Amino acid sequence: MRVFVTGASGHIGFAVVAELLGAGHKVAGLARSEASAEKLRKAGAEVVRGDLDDLAGLVAAAEAAEGVIHLGYKHDLAFGGTPDGFVKAAEHDTRVVKAFGEALIGSNKPFVNTAGTAQLVLFGGMTRTGTEEDVLPGGPRVDGENAVIALAERGVRSSVVRLPPTVHSSLDHHGFVPMFVAAARKNGSSVYIGDGANVWPAVHTLDAAKLYRLALESAPPGTRLHGVADEGVSFRAIAEAIGKGVGVPAKSVSADEAPKYLGGMAHFAQVSNPTSSARTRALLKWEPTHPGLLADLAEGHYFVSADRPTSQVRTHRGPRGRRSR
Ligand SMILES: NC(=O)c1ccc[n+]([C@@H]2O[C@H](COP(=O)([O-])OP(=O)(O)OC[C@H]3O[C@@H](n4cnc5c(N)ncnc54)[C@H](OP(=O)(O)O)[C@@H]3O)[C@@H](O)[C@H]2O)c1
């Protein structure tokens, strides 16, 4: 299948590109810069030069493809420090997926979109384990998810992969884990909030990439999927593993003190988001095979710094014997 992938040069998107090419698909990846375009060409993908702001260009690329995977996102806007950036980025994303939807109506092509498991807690107040059946009526990122699921009624084989707050691996250079590592270095301690019993779900980048391929190939129309391998790792355990890697103690801070240590991440560090992927695993025969979050942290790649040569960092082999870093 010839697949148009947005965010193809990004952390997860680039792994999805490799997964698709490895399975014999052709990939046309969106690239907004020559550097991103070159990265994609070297990997063996075609390049569609363009920007997420150019909806007409996205529509044309979707029409020319046999399937679409959407992983591009304006993280610079969402996390750029402006008070309404997070909401504005999500609103922009909803416009993008609606434009894709218009291009794909009646085609029966697969369209795989991206959302987050944490939205069930952040915007739905969920306190139990979240499942694929849990649906919110609206909210940032939720609107995009619901718009894509609704396309199933209009001749699109649409699906949404909800990702956990941390998609981890040696390919992850600017997700939450690197941010918490940087904060631990700066603070001289790796903090958790209260007793740190709140849990985060997690998935390895290469397991997530495989799920996107399976969704593209065979998810039934209107399917919500959970790209979750670890159902819930306590934030205290995460903070302790980061402290060990950085060489600083882990310590508890109060919710009031947390922003002093973690800035804007303090809010996320308190989230408890236990998440099941039982339905996803059964439906698509998806079984994560790469290290879980704590095992991945123990590998050491997150803690490479200028004073520690990369040769000292253990790596592991990805699928088909490929090195994952
Ligand atoms: N990483 C996680 O732990 C995690 C967790 C939950 C959900 N997610 C979601 O998963 C998706 C992929 O995340 P990621 O970690 O792979 O993100 P990423 O590494 O930041 O990659 C973002 C991608 O979007 C592209 N992009 C950004 N603005 C663009 C624009 N204006 N025009 C064209 N392309 C643009 C980037 O292109 P350049 O390479 O040119 O910058 C890059 O390819 C996002 O929707 C993200 O919110 C990620």
Side-chain angles (χ1 to χ4, degrees):
M1 199 184 300
R2 184 172 183 273
V3 191
F4 178 50
V5 180
T6 70
S9 54
H11 161 209
I12 303 164
F14 197 61
V16 169
V17 168
E19 174 71 30
L20 293 173
L21 292 171
H25 295 289
K26 289 193 168 67
V27 172
L30 181 69
R32 60 173 164 167
S33 70
E34 188 45 36
S36 295
E38 188 54 21
K39 181 174 170 179
L40 291 175
R41 277 188 214 104
K42 273 193 182 145
E46 290 170 38
V47 171
V48 175
R49 282 302 299 268
D51 194 282
L52 289 173
D53 284 323
D54 173 17
L55 298 188
L58 298 180
V59 163
E63 284 172 347
E66 292 163 292
V68 175
I69 295 181
H70 178 46
L71 278 152
Y73 202 78
K74 290 192 163 190
H75 287 143
D76 45 0
L77 176 59
F79 300 110
T82 55
D84 57 353
F86 188 83
V87 169
K88 281 204 157 17
E91 286 172 351
H92 171 269
D93 192 58
T94 302
R95 286 195 291 279
V96 169
V97 298
K98 285 186 172 170
F100 278 138
E102 290 301 321
L104 297 174
I105 283 168
S107 69
N108 292 316
K109 291 178 188 174
F111 174 22
V112 187
N113 187 35
T114 303
T117 62
Q119 67 204 25
L120 293 173
V121 180
L122 294 171
F123 311 120
M126 182 165 287
T127 51
R128 58 167 172 77
T129 300
T131 74
E132 296 87 340
E133 280 84 17
D134 292 313
V135 176
L136 299 180
R141 294 214 79 155
V142 180
D143 294 332
E145 170 182 316
N146 291 346
V148 171
I149 293 298
L151 291 169
E153 304 292 320
R154 306 180 71 191
V156 183
R157 189 160 61 76
S158 63
S159 59
V160 174
V161 176
R162 290 179 182 155
L163 291 171
T166 177
V167 179
H168 58 87
S169 70
S170 55
L171 305 166
D172 169 26
H173 302 301
H174 47 251
F176 275 119
V177 170
M179 291 196 268
F180 286 120
V181 167
R185 285 208 173 98
K186 179 165 156 269
N187 295 323
S189 58
S190 177
V191 302
Y192 53 92
I193 296 157
D195 63 4
N198 62 303
V199 300
W200 272 27
V203 70
H204 192 283
T205 310
L206 300 180
D207 286 321
K210 182 166 181 189
L211 179 59
Y212 275 87
R213 175 174 66 77
L214 295 176
L216 176 92
E217 290 173 349
S218 57
T223 310
R224 291 178 171 87
L225 299 160
H226 279 181
V228 167
D230 285 317
E231 179 166 318
V233 184
S234 83
F235 202 83
R236 179 174 180 162
I238 298 171
E240 286 173 348
I242 289 174
K244 189 173 173 197
V246 172
V248 298
K251 81 169 181 186
S252 167
V253 297
S254 69
D256 287 345
E257 290 173 297
K260 194 172 82 188
Y261 292 89
L262 299 174
M265 298 183 297
H267 183 59
F268 291 96
Q270 296 171 62
V271 163
S272 200
N273 179 214
T275 305
S276 164
S277 58
R279 183 172 182 264
T280 299
R281 292 176 194 232
L283 185 71
L284 296 182
K285 313 249 173 306
W286 175 66
E287 211 43 65
T289 57
H290 292 279
L293 177 57
L294 295 180
D296 200 19
L297 284 167
E299 290 199 356
H301 55 79
Y302 275 111
F303 310 109
V304 176
S305 59
D307 56 354
R308 187 172 177 215
T310 50
S311 59
Q312 289 180 15
V313 178
R314 280 177 49 212
T315 60
H316 65 273
R317 288 193 177 275
R320 295 179 293 278
R322 191 172 68 224
R323 269 202 184 278
S324 66
R325 68 180 311 276

